[in-house]
Amino acid sequence: MPHSVLIGFAVLVICHTSQAGYTKFPDGFTFGVATAAHQIEGAWNVSGKSENVWDRLSHTRPEMIADGTNGDIACDSYNRYREDVEELAYMGVDFYRFSFSWARILPSGRVDFVNPDGIRYYHDLLDALAEKNIEPLVTLFHWDLPQTLQDLGGWANPKMVDYFRDYADLCFKEFGRKIKSWITFNEPYEICEDAYGDEKKAPAIDSHGVGNYLCSDTLLKAHAEAYHLYNETYRPTQNGRIMISINSIWYEPSDTNNAEQVTLAEVANQFKFGWFAHPIFTEEGGYPSVMVENVAQQSAAEGLPKSRLEQFDQYWIDRIKGTSDFLGINHYTTHLITGAGVDPIAKSPSWLKDIGAVTTMNVGGESASEWLRVVPTGFANLLRWCKSSYNDPPIYITENGFSDRGTLQDYGRISYFNDYLSEILNVIYDDNVKVLGYTAWTLMDNFEWRAGFSERFGFYFVDITQPDRPRTPKLSVEYFRQLLATRELPQDERFKDPSMRRL
Ligand SMILES: *[C@@H]1O[C@H](CO)[C@@H](O)[C@H](O)[C@H]1NC(C)=O
Ligand SMILES: *[C@@H]1O[C@H](CO)[C@@H](O)[C@H](O)[C@H]1NC(C)=O
């Protein structure tokens, strides 16, 4: 450990004892911001890109999108990526997390035809980032599956393991010289539960309790195959790293003295985070045992001859174990567990019914998103839990952010970042949790899936009524810029909500 880190640590301890709270990030801690292809690129039907599942959903069922918008133009980043890069450079980020559009690179979903324009677009973006010394962190799959592959069953089709591996192979080969950090999947829970077990995300299959578990079987195998391919074939020459980004709604007991709620919160966290983390990040591998038991029990009660959740065989348990160089965590919020039983909103059968607990979102401050409540201490609890549950892994926060309706004086967003970042400092210094980097969601207001543009998470405001999609910096741009320049939580009065300043 460099000497300066130790000195920094000693100074911080003194700060903390004077009740100031930690403010300074350790040496080497990196910051970035994130986007995703379908949410910003637009250009949905030009230069050879094919239709993806979000194009299909927003075009054929526009009533499913809160404000009737779609990703046809979005932020027009396909044409305006140079502006994106200027904004990133202005903010002073170390890295930019963005995703590749599979349907732009491979219109059929398969490697039989590689779209030259898709390849050119991502090379241009990567080169523009390199000019500004911004490191790319690239997500291979951020929810926008080519419709051609969805027509074959999407992630419920076991053959997707091969299609994803081929796509990853092409990306490593083509772009690996320029990309040192990869993410295979963004938020497997959302992909499997929200899109196959429900209709909250495209393709809105809603095969609750069944499709969601078929999806996780395929997705975890596809992730492992991409990891091994990179590890064996590309890492020796490209020297990069590769991980998965798992999202969490962190569950806590509504009454911490209630033993049943405490136990059920742990069950819920195993179902939510452990579903994808346990197979990859534990010695034992495979799905969490409580998940295997609960689904088997429910399936038997439903009269099924075997569990809706098929456990991996030993070959796959071993093949999936250890396949992530870091634990990537997307975190936004905490919900509560109020007791045992079937959640009133649970379908039958379903993942939520399989948990056997009643949940509530009635906690913390509000945002523009119903599901997003502001509970900074929940973040610290999640991070400590990850340290103890997964053998102290090195962690990157790959998303964290706050929604409002688009105000430029976005004090709510600034205070969210400040309080959540402060909790990261607490667990780094007090609990030795190895958090190495932080990614804010998101560079600019963008197509927020089924919420359209009605819930805005951006540093930059995007005016979608104008054809050139002008971007206007919100106050949070200055907050983040100062944070990046000093590597310290800004204390300036100008970042505090005027109505709160006298408190
Ligand atoms: C592309 O989609 C737009 C709608 O977003 C439509 O107006 C246009 O005709 C389409 N172009 C082609 C080449 O299909
Ligand atoms: C990655 O490759 C290295 C070097 O061949 C090997 O030691 C390691 O076990 C591989 N990792 C996994 C998870 O298979």
Side-chain angles (χ1 to χ4, degrees), residues 227-228 231 321-322:
Y227 179 93
H228 288 296
N231 194 42
K321 249 183 355 186

Side-chain angles (χ1 to χ4, degrees), residues 73 123 137 483:
I73 302 174
H123 273 302
L137 166 57
L483 166 69

Side-chain angles (χ1 to χ4, degrees), residues 214-243:
L214 295 181
C215 169
S216 64
D217 190 73
T218 311
L219 188 148
L220 281 159
K221 289 172 180 172
H223 160 79
E225 288 309 317
Y227 179 93
H228 288 296
L229 173 68
Y230 189 79
N231 194 42
E232 281 150 34
T233 308
Y234 292 97
R235 201 197 305 266
T237 53
Q238 297 183 351
N239 298 313
R241 50 208 188 151
I242 179 165
M243 63 175 154

